[in-house]
């Protein structure tokens, strides 16, 4: 049996320096834009997330970066609990 993966919405932050914006704020921006791109009202139907950043290690977060930034959105009901996150 073959499995399919569908990417139905995507987003990326604007490249450049934004020292006043937190990683969680960037994450909220990207998630909401990807949901709009996918025409989804929320992310509870999403089966998994891939999270990439190249700077969180500089502020002491060297692992579970995606989980740290996505948990506020899970608590608000925008994303489902137990969604796998690949960092």
């Amino acid at each position: 049996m073959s499995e399919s993966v569908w990417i139905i919405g995507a987003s990326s932050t604007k490249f450049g320096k934004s020292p006043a914006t937190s990683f969680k704020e960037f994450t909220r921006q990207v998630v909401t834009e990807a949901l709009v791109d996918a025409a989804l009202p929320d992310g509870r139907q999403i089966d998994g997330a891939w999270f990439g950043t190249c700077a969180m290690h500089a502020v002491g977060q060297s692992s579970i970066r995606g989980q740290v930034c996505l948990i506020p959105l899970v608590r608000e009901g925008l994303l489902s609990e137990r969604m796998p996150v690949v960092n």
Side-chain angles (χ1 to χ4, degrees):
M1 173 186 257
S2 65
E3 294 185 31
S4 298
V5 174
W6 297 85
I7 298 173
I8 59 170
S11 180
S12 178
T13 58
K14 185 177 180 180
F15 287 90
K17 295 182 181 183
S18 300
T21 307
S22 73
F23 290 107
K24 290 180 182 178
E25 290 171 308
F26 278 129
T27 302
R28 177 178 299 282
Q29 172 191 339
V30 168
V31 168
T32 55
E33 288 175 4
L35 291 173
V36 168
D37 188 47
L40 292 173
D42 58 55
R44 289 179 280 179
Q45 297 174 329
I46 296 172
D47 292 330
W50 288 258
F51 188 91
T53 179
C54 60
M56 286 182 76
H57 69 281
V59 294
Q61 186 61 51
S62 60
S63 61
I64 67 166
R65 298 168 184 174
Q67 290 85 342
V68 167
C69 289
L70 291 168
I71 195 65
L73 303 176
V74 171
R75 289 181 179 149
E76 293 171 22
L78 191 61
L79 296 173
S80 64
E81 292 184 19
R82 311 252 188 265
M83 178 182 67
V85 178
V86 176
N87 293 292

